[in-house]
Amino acid sequence: METYDALLASITPGSGETRTIFDPATGGVVGEAPVHTVADLETAVTAAVAAQPAWAALGHDARSAALFKAADAVERSAEELAQLLSREQGKPLNGPNARFEVGACAAWLRAAAGTPLDPEVIVDDGETYAELHYRPIGVVGAIGPWNWPMMITIWQIAPALWMGNAAVVKPSEYTPLGVLALVKVINEELPEGLLSVVSGGREVGARLAEHPAVGKLMFTGSTTTGKAIIRSSADTVKRLTLELGGNDAGIVLPDADPKTIAEGLFWGAFINTGQTCAALKRLYVHDDIYDAVCEELTTVANNMPMGNGLDENNVLGPLQNKAQYDIVANLVDAAKASGARVLLGGNPDPGQPGYFYPTTLIADIDNNNPLVAEEQFGPALPIIRYSTIDQAIEYANALDVGLGASVWSPNLTAAREVAARIEAGTVWINKHGAVDPRVPFGGAKQSGYGLEFGVEGLKHLGVPQVING
């Protein structure tokens, strides 16, 4: 375990071009990140190609043991990693935020390492015998986002490594330091060259997507960038797992208890200050309990402190960057101009340092309003009335994205019937965004394709091979 300063110093380049990373809560300098080039990427890919065969040859048990040790290493440096994450990304240490994210990194490493993937007998009828195996792909490229930079990197690389692949990571330009530090810690337990980080710009990501030596690319980010990656990867027929933008709907059925569900609704929408692909971003509430849900949700939201993430009292932080702040502010301003009712927030303090946008709840808003129809990715939730279940489902399914959704009701049978009619990769009941390393996760429609987590996630990081005879 290193001190925070030692960990930061270990990833700060001694020479070459750097990018200054600023704290989105204060504007202060967090550190200097290397600006890697396409030539650096080529070096990393070459090293990965060289290291991968020996890693694959170790077998599942030895690879699992190494990943369990990597999880231990993450836990030894957990507080230092969380401090860096809070400074760089902005999320508070407490609540479902920085310490939670670092803990999830260790948990997902262990989950991947402990999930068996045995050969499957497809046919055995006395005449034909066929088995399905999954072989390593080779080199996996991983392009991550700025909202959960450490955790999503682990989601990408842990199963890739367990399946016998090498990995090259390209972090977001907004949050490279945390990923560099995380991989540095993990590499204490891995062979040299197997896992590397290339902290560069768009040209590095574009080259990774088209690189002929990269057999699989995993990407979490916007739908627009995902489409560009699809085009870039076409010439090499690269395998892809794409977790793209979402605008998740939640439907509250008329028999739900507003007070009981209010805190779950809040965290479904405002986890990581709303900066989560699978956060609740549109809330549909039946007329019968609409006012009560608005009242209870406002009460909960009022009691959730927002501020500098290093303050142990806070559970909400700033937007990570100015561009995202402007998106949220513009969408809320448009909603206010349309006559929608502001229950809470919507009034940022221009004199406050950092990219803080107050927790905002907007009621009596039209379903076609931009705050509803466009992904806000921040701490502003529109609450829309509906009169019939058919109307709510029509509203929920109207957009061209479908990452997650939720249904809220004490009647699980009724909730599951509604869930089955929603066009989304995951529909939660009485919760939202609760991912589990054992449960496959992926999007529908333009929210992407491919699965992560569990046995199915491992399969997506291997090449299927049938042995017949």
Side-chain angles (χ1 to χ4, degrees):
M1 183 184 74
E2 298 175 292
T3 66
Y4 172 84
D5 289 339
L7 182 63
L8 184 60
S10 72
I11 60 171
T12 300
S15 61
E17 184 181 355
T18 64
R19 175 185 294 109
T20 303
I21 303 299
F22 297 97
D23 185 334
T26 66
V29 174
V30 179
E32 295 293 322
V35 178
H36 291 140
T37 65
V38 171
D40 295 317
L41 173 65
E42 297 293 345
T43 300
V45 171
T46 298
V49 170
Q52 186 271 329
W55 173 251
L58 288 176
H60 289 314
D61 290 346
R63 295 198 298 270
S64 289
L67 292 180
F68 279 120
K69 288 182 180 179
D72 293 341
V74 170
E75 288 186 336
R76 287 194 299 271
S77 295
E79 184 61 21
E80 293 72 28
L81 289 169
Q83 292 272 341
L84 178 55
L85 177 60
S86 182
R87 287 176 164 93
E88 180 180 45
Q89 201 280 335
K91 63 183 64 181
L93 291 169
N94 290 325
N97 292 298
R99 289 180 178 131
F100 169 87
E101 179 169 349
V102 175
C105 290
W108 249 268
L109 279 164
R110 292 197 176 99
T115 301
L117 179 57
D118 299 319
E120 181 181 352
V121 176
I122 304 299
V123 178
D124 184 8
D125 61 4
E127 295 183 3
T128 300
Y129 182 84
E131 286 185 346
L132 177 61
H133 297 252
Y134 288 86
R135 309 301 187 195
I137 295 169
V139 178
V140 173
I143 301 177
W146 49 257
N147 57 334
W148 294 90
M150 292 186 184
M151 185 175 71
I152 290 177
T153 293
I154 294 296
W155 289 0
Q156 296 169 331
I157 66 174
L161 293 170
W162 189 87
M163 288 296 291
N165 302 298
V168 177
V169 176
K170 192 272 180 195
S172 167
E173 294 170 73
Y174 287 116
T175 53
L177 294 174
V179 176
L180 285 160
L182 176 68
V183 171
K184 187 260 181 187
V185 168
I186 291 172
N187 272 337
E188 294 171 7
E189 304 295 343
L190 296 179
E192 185 176 353
L194 185 71
L195 172 64
S196 58
V197 181
V198 183
S199 172
R202 291 183 180 180
E203 68 284 356
V204 170
R207 178 56 179 161
L208 190 59
E210 69 182 17
H211 202 295
V214 176
K216 164 93 181 190
L217 193 76
M218 302 190 74
F219 171 73
T220 297
S222 72
T223 298
T224 298
T225 303
K227 291 176 180 179
I229 286 172
I230 293 169
R231 290 188 290 267
S232 297
S233 67
D235 285 345
T236 54
V237 196
K238 205 178 303 301
R239 291 164 174 79
L240 299 174
T241 294
L242 303 174
E243 197 256 270
L244 307 179
N247 195 344
D248 288 13
I251 298 177
V252 179
L253 302 189
D255 60 355
D257 177 12
K259 190 175 186 66
T260 299
I261 66 173
E263 188 164 346
L265 289 172
F266 176 84
W267 283 118
F270 292 96
I271 185 172
N272 196 26
T273 316
Q275 300 166 106
T276 299
C277 294
L280 172 56
K281 299 187 175 81
R282 302 175 283 150
L283 182 60
Y284 297 100
V285 183
H286 192 272
D287 279 328
D288 290 352
I289 57 171
Y290 184 86
D291 290 336
V293 168
C294 288
E295 181 179 348
E296 295 293 343
L297 191 51
T298 301
T299 298
V300 170
N302 253 325
N303 292 320
M304 297 294 180
M306 174 184 287
N308 190 318
L310 298 180
D311 182 333
E312 298 278 354
N313 296 310
N314 293 324
V315 294
L316 299 171
L319 278 301
Q320 202 285 322
N321 55 79
K322 179 63 162 57
Q324 195 58 46
Y325 178 95
D326 288 343
I327 289 171
V328 175
N330 290 337
L331 288 172
V332 172
D333 286 348
K336 291 162 64 178
S338 75
R341 179 163 57 104
V342 178
L343 300 174
L344 182 70
N347 55 342
D349 179 0
Q352 182 182 31
Y355 303 130
F356 288 97
Y357 197 91
T359 305
T360 299
L361 298 172
I362 304 288
D364 298 333
I365 185 169
D366 187 84
N367 192 54
N368 295 318
N369 189 282
L371 182 60
V372 181
E374 300 175 21
E375 184 181 22
Q376 70 275 45
F377 215 70
L381 179 66
I383 309 170
I384 306 99
R385 293 179 184 268
Y386 75 87
S387 300
T388 68
I389 299 300
D390 287 345
Q391 181 187 40
I393 292 169
E394 180 184 353
Y395 284 167
N397 290 339
L399 303 182
D400 59 4
V401 289
L403 187 56
S406 57
V407 182
W408 302 75
S409 169
N411 185 334
L412 296 183
T413 299
R416 288 170 182 148
E417 289 174 355
V418 172
R421 298 173 62 189
I422 298 176
E423 298 166 354
T426 299
V427 183
W428 291 277
I429 307 296
N430 295 323
K431 55 189 174 183
H432 196 110
V435 293
D436 185 312
R438 302 166 297 179
V439 179
F441 178 72
K445 299 195 280 192
Q446 292 194 32
S447 287
Y449 49 76
L451 290 172
E452 300 176 270
F453 313 160
V455 173
E456 294 303 318
L458 292 176
K459 290 178 179 179
H460 281 248
L461 281 155
V463 177
Q465 181 189 53
V466 174
I467 296 179
N468 192 330

